[in-house]
Amino acid sequence: MKHLHFIAIGGAAMHNLALAVASKKGYVVTGSDDEIFDPALSHLREAGLLPDAMGWHPERITPDIDAIILGMHAREDNPELVRARELGLKIYSFPEYLYEQTRDKIRIVVGGSHGKTTTTSMILYVLNRLGIEADYMVGAQIEGFERMVRLSDTAKYAVFEGDEYLTSPLDLRSKFLWYHPHIAILTGIAWDHINVFPTFDEYVETFRKFVHTISDTFIYFEGDENLRRLAAEAPKGLSCVPYHEYEGNVPMGVFGKHNMQNLQAAMLACHSIGVAPDDFYREISGFTGASNRLEKICETENSVAYKDFAHSPSKLRATVNAVRERYADKQLVAAMELHTFSSLMADFLPQYNGCMAQADKAFVYFNPKVIEHKRLTPISAEEVRSAFGTDNIEVFTDSVALQDRLKSLDYTNTALLMMSSGTFDGIDVSTFAKQLLGA
């Protein structure tokens, strides 16, 4: 029997890992967090893993615990973590534990500044359709999959979404440096996480380190000059495979240049483990996307609404441009929320220049209280509007005012796009979009 205790169990990845571990025979899982929200709250309650009280309780950390799984949400001075270190318990970060559980498997890792979740989802979707068993970790819910993490004793392959963000409070390296993939994809490099990588060169450097952890095959988007450079510098003996966007005739359930690039990368990864391209393209035609990644909310006779996780400049630009190309004959109304640490930093704002230029009407929202909570330098609505650099931009700092403005528009023959890694401060995006379109 193994007893694992999860510190900060309520995170999206952490609670899914806890569920995956709890489903393995003979494992006991406990956890703690200072706040847990849905869907994690409901998932943990249904599995009987919801802590009986919120907060950090060092008395829960006992010598009989086999290992601690430490989430990024916990701080270094977390009382439970302090107690675990005093007792000399084994402490794993999330990515370290995934690696330990898949040491003997063929690992495929998807990294890059954008498209990681979608590309990982495409690989898993096709493998599942072809009956090829795989363990996995992916950052969104995929049709046909019970949860976002799976660990087994039987799968030959493991497919991970590789995040360049920090591993844990005790390990300030990028998560993906833990995975040591046999096969890896990098979709592109566009500066993000300025709080961790203060310069673009430092950001590129962590991807360079990642390339040096790949043992067999490096699949990279040839249209990115930084990736071309990393491929040219790759270790001797590493197979470097460039790709462009898919240009075939098979009807697809996703659209946009970036998705066609993601699709081609996924095909090459699957081909690396023996999947024939024709089989891949046949199966991927039914893929309609991962949750919150250009996910269609509703459609009326002449209008359509989508939601997307886009928040960084490269993701935002790609998503807006994809919808513009798909619905060239419609008015494009796009709203996005500045919500992440980087997006709310004054020094990073110029990266958003021109990102929403293809929208007919563009709305940017941020909450000054979030900036205060993150202890960042205040920014103004005018600074944001100037940074985006186009005349179609309207900036709001009040969620109700934004909603009122969106309600005032005529949505006849319109494509509506709502983008955020948050909720625009309490908006149920799907319900709101349906109301706007009268769906």
Side-chain angles (χ1 to χ4, degrees):
M1 179 177 291
K2 291 190 178 294
H3 179 184
L4 302 185
H5 182 80
F6 286 69
I7 299 178
I9 196 172
M14 283 285 283
H15 93 269
N16 273 281
L17 177 59
L19 294 171
V21 171
S23 69
K24 296 185 71 172
K25 185 177 180 180
Y27 278 70
V28 174
V29 171
T30 57
S32 57
D33 214 320
D34 56 355
E35 55 182 9
I36 303 177
F37 303 103
D38 272 329
L41 184 70
S42 296
H43 291 164
L44 291 172
R45 181 184 289 120
E46 289 168 8
L49 300 181
L50 188 68
D52 54 10
M54 291 297 117
W56 313 114
H57 302 275
E59 65 274 12
R60 290 175 174 167
I61 309 303
T62 55
D64 63 304
I65 291 175
D66 293 290
I68 299 292
I69 312 296
L70 180 63
M72 191 61 209
H73 172 59
R75 298 180 183 275
E76 190 172 0
D77 62 355
N78 181 284
E80 294 188 10
L81 176 57
V82 170
R83 178 62 174 154
R85 297 177 82 177
E86 289 173 350
L87 291 173
L89 298 180
K90 176 61 181 176
I91 299 170
Y92 290 103
S93 65
F94 177 91
E96 181 182 6
Y97 187 73
L98 285 178
Y99 172 71
E100 288 294 331
Q101 293 294 300
T102 58
R103 273 180 174 272
D104 299 327
K105 302 176 188 291
I106 296 173
R107 291 177 301 282
I108 301 172
V109 177
V110 182
S113 303
H114 43 253
K116 294 186 292 291
T117 301
T118 299
T119 307
T120 308
S121 299
M122 287 175 169
I123 294 169
L124 291 171
Y125 180 86
V126 169
L127 294 184
N128 187 51
R129 293 278 300 176
L130 293 174
I132 300 173
E133 185 184 6
D135 289 349
Y136 59 83
M137 186 278 293
V138 62
Q141 196 65 45
I142 315 171
E143 182 183 348
F145 291 78
E146 184 180 357
R147 56 178 67 100
M148 294 158 55
V149 178
R150 179 185 190 264
L151 294 173
S152 73
D153 297 324
T154 54
K156 180 180 179 180
Y157 304 101
V159 183
F160 295 153
E161 178 177 336
D163 185 1
E164 71 272 20
Y165 201 69
L166 301 180
T167 292
S168 80
L170 303 182
D171 184 350
L172 302 184
R173 291 172 294 176
S174 293
K175 290 187 180 76
F176 61 17
L177 297 180
W178 269 105
Y179 296 140
H180 300 281
H182 299 85
I183 301 157
I185 295 169
L186 285 181
T187 60
I189 300 178
W191 194 22
D192 200 359
H193 309 305
I194 188 175
N195 55 315
V196 176
F197 307 102
T199 68
F200 181 64
D201 287 344
E202 290 174 273
Y203 187 63
V204 173
E205 180 59 26
T206 201
F207 287 95
R208 180 176 287 107
K209 291 177 181 177
F210 174 70
V211 172
H212 282 258
T213 68
I214 306 167
S215 60
D216 296 339
T217 305
F218 172 35
I219 300 166
Y220 67 97
F221 177 57
E222 195 173 27
D224 187 302
E225 62 178 340
N226 295 292
L227 292 182
R228 291 198 304 271
R229 191 174 301 118
L230 294 189
E233 301 169 355
K236 187 176 181 180
L238 180 63
S239 175
C240 296
V241 182
Y243 70 89
H244 294 282
E245 64 190 74
Y246 171 71
E247 295 179 341
N249 298 317
V250 177
M252 295 295 169
V254 293
F255 61 90
K257 288 182 178 179
H258 269 250
N259 270 334
M260 295 303 102
Q261 293 164 13
N262 297 336
L263 188 149
Q264 195 67 0
M267 183 279 292
L268 289 169
C270 289
H271 187 48
S272 295
I273 59 170
V275 174
D278 285 350
D279 291 340
F280 176 89
Y281 293 129
R282 182 188 67 247
E283 300 301 339
I284 198 64
S285 63
F287 179 76
T288 57
S291 176
N292 287 317
R293 271 67 176 182
L294 258 183
E295 180 181 352
K296 185 185 287 187
I297 298 171
C298 62
E299 189 168 11
T300 66
E301 186 177 340
N302 58 26
S303 296
V304 64
Y306 286 87
K307 61 179 177 179
D308 195 275
F309 196 69
H311 51 83
S312 69
S314 61
K315 295 173 184 175
L316 182 62
R317 187 189 303 273
T319 302
V320 171
N321 290 353
V323 176
R324 173 75 290 161
E325 291 168 10
R326 177 67 177 262
Y327 299 101
D329 60 337
K330 295 185 185 299
Q331 171 187 233
L332 174 53
V333 176
M336 73 87 60
E337 178 181 14
L338 297 173
H339 183 69
T340 63
F341 199 102
S342 294
S343 70
L344 293 167
M345 295 184 73
D347 291 344
F348 190 73
L349 280 176
Q351 302 296 317
Y352 285 97
N353 185 265
C355 281
M356 299 180 79
Q358 292 299 313
D360 296 294
K361 292 182 172 63
F363 303 93
V364 179
Y365 170 75
F366 71 94
N367 185 342
K369 291 182 179 178
V370 172
I371 296 175
E372 182 180 345
H373 176 72
K374 294 179 184 290
R375 299 179 182 177
L376 295 171
T377 302
I379 56 177
S380 68
E382 179 52 36
E383 283 180 281
V384 172
R385 193 202 65 76
S386 177
F388 274 77
T390 48
D391 293 337
N392 61 341
I393 299 289
E394 295 182 42
V395 181
F396 290 81
T397 59
D398 181 284
S399 180
V400 174
L402 170 65
Q403 292 174 63
D404 289 342
R405 178 70 178 100
L406 290 171
K407 289 175 182 176
S408 73
L409 302 179
D410 180 0
Y411 289 92
T412 304
N413 196 40
T414 295
L416 171 65
L417 179 57
M418 302 287 288
M419 298 167 288
S420 177
S421 59
T423 64
F424 293 91
D425 283 318
I427 299 178
D428 182 323
V429 170
S430 295
T431 300
F432 184 60
K434 290 175 183 176
Q435 291 173 349
L436 294 178
L437 268 59

